[in-house]
Amino acid sequence: NAGVTQTPKFRILKIGQSMTLQCTQDMNHNYMYWYRQDPGMGLKLIYYSVGAGITDKGEVPNGYNVSRSTTEDFPLRLELAAPSQTSVYFCASSYSRDTQYFGPGTRLTVL
Amino acid sequence: AQKVTQAQTEISVVEKEDVTLDCVYETRDTTYYLFWYKQPPSGELVFLIRRNSFDEQNEISGRYSWNFQKSTSSFNFTITASQVVDSAVYFCALSETQGGSEKLVFGKGTKLTVNP
């Protein structure tokens, strides 16, 4: 099992550009999450999903969108990138309310 | 609201020393889970332990041990005989049940540096 995979690993965006961060898990987990980690801080939840077709906002959802059309994939969309979205983004998945397992992260810089 | 406090921002020790990382949490839930994750310099998040709020037994796994005390809302992590490879940022997290999902509330992390 590859676990949770994320692409890309690194990305530089210009202000106003858009992009999609990809997240895939092969553990058949129904729950998936997106977090962001700012320097010197813990992780903050952006969006989560309890199953295909169901998503909900976390603590810091503004500026992001998600979709969950399959169990495996949970992409995160940035529509109009802003410098405040410079961060490391982590995707995680879990089986029901069990332990969350994290992907390797995507380091995003918005200039 | 749930809250996790890791008061130690950075700790530096010499190899073979024992070190304890503190974690204090706040919650109104009667059932919750506590976690520790390790983030080495490479950046990934590695799961270390998950503890149910009803289970206050201490746990030991090799050089790692965890002390869970509900009375003081603490879930401390001790590394015995530290090694250079233990250098990392360690995060304590508390589960928050909302919308049928288990969401994690993270502390800000403690950066541990183990010097040879």
Side-chain angles (χ1 to χ4, degrees):
Chain A
N1 284 358
V4 180
T5 56
Q6 292 182 239
T7 57
K9 286 189 169 52
F10 305 94
R11 185 71 185 268
I12 298 175
L13 282 182
K14 293 182 179 177
I15 294 172
Q17 285 186 320
S18 60
M19 77 163 293
T20 299
L21 281 67
Q22 301 291 347
C23 175
T24 300
Q25 53 91 9
D26 62 0
M27 297 176 281
N28 203 31
H29 286 168
N30 46 347
Y31 289 15
M32 295 186 75
Y33 310 81
W34 274 105
Y35 294 88
R36 60 177 285 172
Q37 183 182 25
D38 298 324
M41 303 292 286
L43 279 70
K44 292 188 177 179
L45 183 67
I46 306 171
Y47 270 96
Y48 68 97
S49 168
V50 300
I54 306 169
T55 62
D56 207 347
K57 296 177 181 178
E59 185 182 355
V60 290
N62 291 345
Y64 307 95
N65 276 303
V66 293
S67 60
R68 184 98 181 270
S69 56
T70 67
T71 300
E72 296 78 18
D73 301 307
F74 190 40
L76 177 72
R77 178 89 178 154
L78 283 71
E79 290 295 348
L80 289 169
S84 61
Q85 293 177 305
T86 294
S87 191
V88 180
Y89 292 83
F90 287 96
C91 179
S93 72
S94 65
Y95 177 71
S96 187
R97 295 168 61 180
D98 208 336
T99 300
Q100 293 182 27
Y101 293 93
F102 286 80
T106 293
R107 187 175 295 274
L108 176 67
T109 303
V110 182
L111 300 174
Chain B
Q2 325 279 65
K3 186 179 176 183
V4 175
T5 302
Q6 294 181 256
Q8 304 149 308
T9 306
E10 292 193 42
I11 300 175
S12 183
V13 300
V14 177
E15 214 171 10
K16 296 184 184 174
E17 281 186 35
D18 298 346
V19 57
T20 295
L21 311 181
D22 297 332
C23 174
V24 174
Y25 63 92
E26 294 176 29
T27 181
R28 282 185 284 189
D29 288 351
T30 53
T31 302
Y32 52 90
Y33 294 89
L34 292 160
F35 300 79
W36 277 94
Y37 284 86
K38 174 182 179 180
Q39 187 174 43
S42 52
E44 74 271 24
L45 280 156
V46 179
F47 164 74
L48 295 178
I49 189 170
R50 175 182 188 246
R51 175 60 57 163
N52 184 306
S53 57
F54 292 112
D55 183 1
E56 286 193 72
Q57 273 198 326
N58 290 336
E59 178 143 348
I60 298 174
S61 176
R63 297 184 296 107
Y64 295 171
S65 62
W66 291 269
N67 180 260
F68 176 29
Q69 293 199 343
K70 256 176 135 170
S71 60
T72 55
S73 297
S74 65
F75 186 44
N76 297 337
F77 173 30
T78 297
I79 301 174
T80 303
S82 59
Q83 299 176 2
V84 172
V85 293
D86 295 325
S87 296
V89 180
Y90 291 87
F91 291 98
C92 181
L94 167 70
S95 65
E96 178 179 41
T97 303
Q98 186 175 339
S101 179
E102 200 89 348
K103 293 181 287 181
L104 294 180
V105 175
F106 282 82
K108 292 185 179 180
T110 297
K111 182 178 180 180
L112 173 66
T113 302
V114 181
N115 298 299

